[in-house]
Amino acid sequence: MSVKPKKRGRPFNSSKQLSNSIILKCAKSMLEEEGKIPAIRGLAAKLNVDAMAIYHYFANKNALLEAIASSLVTEIYEPKNDRPWKTEIYSLCYSYLKLLKDYNGLLETMLSSTCFGPSNVFTEKFSQITDTLGLSPATAITARDLLVDYLHGFAFAMQLNKRDGEIELEMIKGPINLYFGALEKYN
Amino acid sequence: MSVKPKKRGRPFNSSKQLSNSIILKCAKSMLEEEGKIPAIRGLAAKLNVDAMAIYHYFANKNALLEAIASSLVTEIYEPKNDRPWKTEIYSLCYSYLKLLKDYNGLLETMLSSTCFGPSNVFTEKFSQITDTLGLSPATAITARDLLVDYLHGFAFAMQLNKRDGEIELEMIKGPINLYFGALEKYN
DNA sequence: ATTATTAATTCTACATTGTAGAATTAATAA
DNA sequence: TTATTAATTCTACAATGTAGAATTAATAAT
């Protein structure tokens, strides 16, 4: 039942060292598999390391979560500019929600951290697409706010799994199309 | 520093008894004042009672939170039917968000509980208004989903206070008007 | 009246969390 | 060789929700 106590103090160089990225990778895989943010102790156990070792690499749990979040920006759709704007925005939204679904529990981190993360990237890429639409700056911002908050609301519901059974990402199609209708009036 | 230990066991009838509604009232006022859900111990302290006494009236913390949520349905705007639909929907949204702002932290409870609460009431009243618009049933549902998730996303951001400084409820005006634009195409 | 049951309460205790701070040991610099 | 720094484990604490037992009064049964 009990595990042999590990030797204390700094380990020999021969043994592979813990690192920022090893922790990140493990945390991400646990997040994916368990569908929720792991406890530090759990993460440490999986890394076969004491919980406090993690604090040598991250100031606190939130810093770790922010690091995870910002490592995910690459998973967001990159607009191509050779497809209709509706398709582009839909793909962008879909990839954003996919991320929030696959890494359940990160929504709060993403929204409360001011630093570089998927939310900012989403916003940037959205603007990049709407720039081609000739909206007024004010309208563009309004459109962005409506969409972003809608997606976060959807993601939040997904996180809580309120709707019957699985929440499918495709469920955004209807609302997004309605949203497109609104945008069309302004371009 | 320390308080005199209270007498154990069932108290005399003369002393005013704890009750469901006393607990609720106190919890609501703490929620309002502190801007976050109180810990059971904190609530108990304010009631000058042991923490476990609360569990005589509520099965667990979540049951208490659900009770709070469902006690708030009265604060949601009651559509009048003698004002334009946009005004009605705006008032409805505003009152819903006001509630979510005043009782910060309840969003999750409201969305995860299937029982009677502000979310259901909102949805009902929204349908009541859109029934006068002659939308197809499918469109009505889509419109509801877009709006509800938008509001929840907004509320979530409010809860985390992401935006600079205070988040004002009036910030929904732009997005809501854009949304109205979308609805107009269907009626 | 006495006794048994039920109701309202406090107490003690546990598991789970994040994480501060000290101790330990190896690597590296002086 | 010694001093310093780095990487780690250990111990411990505060906060949380809450299970379960003990206690006492009210009420029901006899």
Side-chain angles (χ1 to χ4, degrees):
Chain A
M1 278 295 81
S2 68
V3 197
K4 51 184 179 276
K6 292 193 56 170
K7 198 170 70 166
R8 295 188 63 172
R10 179 170 182 163
F12 299 105
N13 274 354
S14 53
S15 69
K16 59 196 168 303
Q17 221 195 237
L18 203 53
S19 76
N20 229 292
S21 63
I22 288 177
I23 294 172
L24 266 178
K25 196 177 160 190
C26 184
K28 279 168 72 171
S29 85
M30 287 182 78
L31 180 48
E32 274 187 278
E33 278 174 36
E34 297 170 21
K36 61 179 183 184
I37 292 172
I40 295 291
R41 281 175 173 83
L43 175 56
K46 199 135 201 172
L47 287 164
N48 199 31
V49 112
D50 184 88
M52 292 311 291
I54 290 170
Y55 288 90
H56 186 70
Y57 298 89
F58 296 95
N60 49 47
K61 187 172 188 178
N62 197 56
L64 169 60
L65 296 182
E66 291 190 3
I68 296 179
S70 88
S71 82
L72 294 174
V73 296
T74 56
E75 303 203 9
I76 295 183
Y77 177 76
E78 176 65 32
K80 309 264 190 320
N81 273 27
D82 63 344
R83 297 159 68 200
W85 62 274
K86 289 183 183 178
T87 313
E88 291 291 77
I89 290 182
Y90 180 77
S91 296
L92 183 58
C93 294
Y94 190 94
S95 73
Y96 187 55
L97 286 179
K98 178 98 175 24
L99 195 143
L100 284 165
K101 186 183 190 184
D102 291 345
Y103 300 91
N104 202 296
L106 275 194
L107 180 62
E108 180 162 346
T109 302
M110 284 179 34
L111 293 211
S112 41
S113 97
T114 48
C115 60
F116 184 73
S119 296
N120 310 291
V121 171
F122 177 89
T123 298
E124 265 173 40
K125 293 187 172 172
F126 176 79
S127 301
Q128 191 178 317
I129 300 173
T130 52
D131 277 351
T132 69
L133 283 184
L135 305 175
S136 79
T139 304
I141 288 175
T142 298
R144 186 245 289 156
D145 287 349
L146 176 55
L147 182 59
V148 163
D149 284 336
Y150 163 71
L151 292 173
H152 290 158
F154 186 88
F156 190 63
M158 222 174 19
Q159 190 168 114
L160 304 174
N161 221 338
K162 181 196 158 34
R163 292 161 169 93
D164 315 317
E166 267 292 272
I167 297 194
E168 296 299 337
L169 294 184
E170 283 73 17
M171 288 178 184
I172 66 170
K173 275 186 180 165
I176 291 284
N177 277 321
L178 188 58
Y179 170 78
F180 287 156
L183 276 197
E184 275 169 342
K185 297 182 75 168
Y186 288 87
N187 84 315
Chain B
M1 278 294 81
S2 68
V3 196
K4 52 184 179 279
K6 293 193 56 172
K7 198 170 70 167
R8 296 189 62 171
R10 179 171 183 164
F12 298 105
N13 274 355
S14 52
S15 69
K16 56 195 170 305
Q17 222 196 236
L18 202 53
S19 76
N20 228 292
S21 62
I22 288 178
I23 294 171
L24 267 178
K25 197 178 158 190
C26 185
K28 279 168 71 171
S29 84
M30 288 182 78
L31 180 47
E32 273 187 278
E33 279 174 34
E34 298 170 19
K36 61 179 183 184
I37 292 171
I40 295 293
R41 281 175 172 84
L43 176 56
K46 197 136 201 170
L47 286 164
N48 200 29
V49 113
D50 183 89
M52 292 312 290
I54 289 169
Y55 289 90
H56 186 69
Y57 297 90
F58 295 95
N60 49 47
K61 187 172 187 178
N62 197 56
L64 169 59
L65 295 183
E66 291 191 0
I68 295 179
S70 89
S71 81
L72 294 175
V73 295
T74 56
E75 303 202 10
I76 295 182
Y77 177 76
E78 176 66 30
K80 308 264 188 322
N81 274 28
D82 63 345
R83 296 158 71 199
W85 62 274
K86 289 182 184 180
T87 313
E88 291 291 78
I89 290 181
Y90 180 76
S91 296
L92 183 58
C93 294
Y94 190 93
S95 73
Y96 187 54
L97 286 179
K98 178 97 173 26
L99 194 142
L100 284 166
K101 186 183 189 186
D102 291 346
Y103 300 91
N104 203 296
L106 275 194
L107 180 62
E108 179 162 345
T109 302
M110 283 178 34
L111 294 211
S112 42
S113 98
T114 49
C115 62
F116 183 74
S119 296
N120 310 291
V121 171
F122 177 89
T123 297
E124 267 173 38
K125 292 187 174 174
F126 176 79
S127 301
Q128 191 179 318
I129 299 173
T130 52
D131 277 351
T132 69
L133 284 183
L135 305 174
S136 79
T139 305
I141 288 174
T142 299
R144 187 245 288 156
D145 287 349
L146 176 55
L147 182 59
V148 163
D149 284 336
Y150 163 70
L151 293 174
H152 290 157
F154 186 88
F156 191 61
M158 220 171 22
Q159 191 167 115
L160 304 175
N161 221 339
K162 180 194 159 35
R163 292 161 170 93
D164 315 317
E166 266 292 272
I167 297 195
E168 295 299 335
L169 295 184
E170 282 73 17
M171 289 179 184
I172 66 170
K173 274 187 181 164
I176 292 283
N177 277 322
L178 188 58
Y179 171 77
F180 286 156
L183 276 198
E184 275 169 342
K185 296 182 76 168
Y186 289 87
N187 84 313

